Amino acid sequence: MDTSLTDKIAVVTGASKGIGLATAQALVAAGAHVIAGARHNSEELAALEAAGAATFVAADVATADGPKALVAAATQRGGIDILVNNAGAVTPRFDGILSVSDDDWLASLSVNFLSAVRTTREALPHMLARGGGSIVMIGSVNAALPEWNIVDYSATKAALANFAKSVSKEFGHNGIRVNTISPGPVATPLWLAEDGIAQQFAAASGVTPDQVVDSVVAGSATGRFTTPQEVADLAVFLAGERSTNITGSDIRIDGGYVTTL
């Protein structure tokens, strides 16, 4: 399948690691130049930049200024064809919903939802000027499978899916497509690092991180986590010319973790 994105300019948020890094690498492999936004650079991103395939922008998209800096860097290069809103964070809430403060809610809204709203709002005029584009939101199965111990994360990912659908309806006739990818558990540092979700759940429940992982994958049909590369490959497909009549869709990649329709 031809997924060539030669001469396309792509903006990726949260691009220094995990799904964001895999997506940046996959877009570069398909021929795009990536404007890679993150709070901190990484060795892998620096390698892409050294090769002339990416431009790193130190930006916190949870703030109002971060999305502006990213889009400004893209427009300096010529415009925006592809936007992947990947930035996000999750904090397990083992003391329950009543322990989640206003500050906790605002922090989750800023990084998981408003970051995408602001970056999309900044990017849309430039996509309109270029006659179209593709926006991919990295959501979560928790938008449709909310959990009490990640209540704010679940709610903000549901808001993201709703926002994506609204934008797809308004701008579809302008050649701008908007889709959401909803991964289940993905083998990234977010889950598997020493301070990752598996470790946090293990500490709260008195088991090992490996046992947490085993219990999670036991709930999927494939019996394993999704890889960052699998999510990235789907993002590249949605960004390219082989998916030009796909918009307003939410595509789940979870190994059958969600058992309902």
Side-chain angles (χ1 to χ4, degrees), residues 1-10 25-34 53 77 80-82 130 236 239-242:
M1 180 183 295
D2 181 12
T3 57
S4 175
L5 298 175
T6 302
D7 298 328
K8 300 295 186 182
I9 301 171
Q25 292 169 326
L27 288 166
V28 165
H33 184 91
V34 174
R77 190 168 182 90
I80 301 175
D81 301 294
I82 300 158
R130 288 169 80 84
V236 170
E241 295 300 314
R242 289 300 188 99

Side-chain angles (χ1 to χ4, degrees), residues 34-224:
V34 174
I35 309 298
R39 289 180 297 171
H40 308 288
N41 206 344
S42 65
E43 182 179 342
E44 295 87 350
L45 267 187
L48 293 180
E49 190 166 33
T55 302
F56 171 70
V57 179
D60 182 354
V61 292
T63 68
D65 291 334
K68 293 179 181 179
L70 264 181
V71 172
T75 57
Q76 286 174 8
R77 190 168 182 90
I80 301 175
D81 301 294
I82 300 158
L83 169 61
V84 181
N85 283 310
N86 165 73
V90 57
T91 301
R93 312 291 186 184
F94 297 114
D95 292 328
I97 291 171
L98 296 181
S99 71
V100 187
S101 68
D102 281 2
D103 286 344
D104 293 332
W105 275 106
L106 289 170
S108 291
L109 282 165
S110 293
V111 69
N112 293 321
F113 180 58
L114 290 177
S115 64
V117 171
R118 289 167 173 152
T119 309
T120 300
R121 189 171 58 203
E122 291 291 326
L124 278 169
H126 302 285
M127 288 187 168
L128 288 169
R130 288 169 80 84
S134 177
I135 300 173
V136 180
M137 313 282 192
I138 305 300
S140 170
V141 294
N142 293 116
L145 190 69
E147 297 288 356
W148 67 269
N149 47 22
I150 49 170
V151 59
D152 46 330
Y153 178 78
S154 298
T156 52
K157 288 298 187 179
L160 181 65
N162 190 290
F163 172 68
K165 188 71 170 181
S166 295
V167 179
S168 75
K169 289 182 174 182
E170 180 173 356
F171 293 98
H173 70 281
N174 298 110
I176 297 172
R177 299 180 296 108
V178 187
N179 294 289
T180 305
I181 297 174
S182 290
V186 180
T188 65
L190 177 70
W191 260 97
L192 304 178
E194 286 188 9
D195 59 346
I197 295 172
Q199 176 62 56
Q200 294 178 58
F201 272 85
S205 56
V207 299
T208 68
D210 286 343
Q211 288 173 315
V212 171
V213 170
D214 289 343
S215 68
V216 170
V217 300
S220 69
T222 59
R224 66 173 179 86

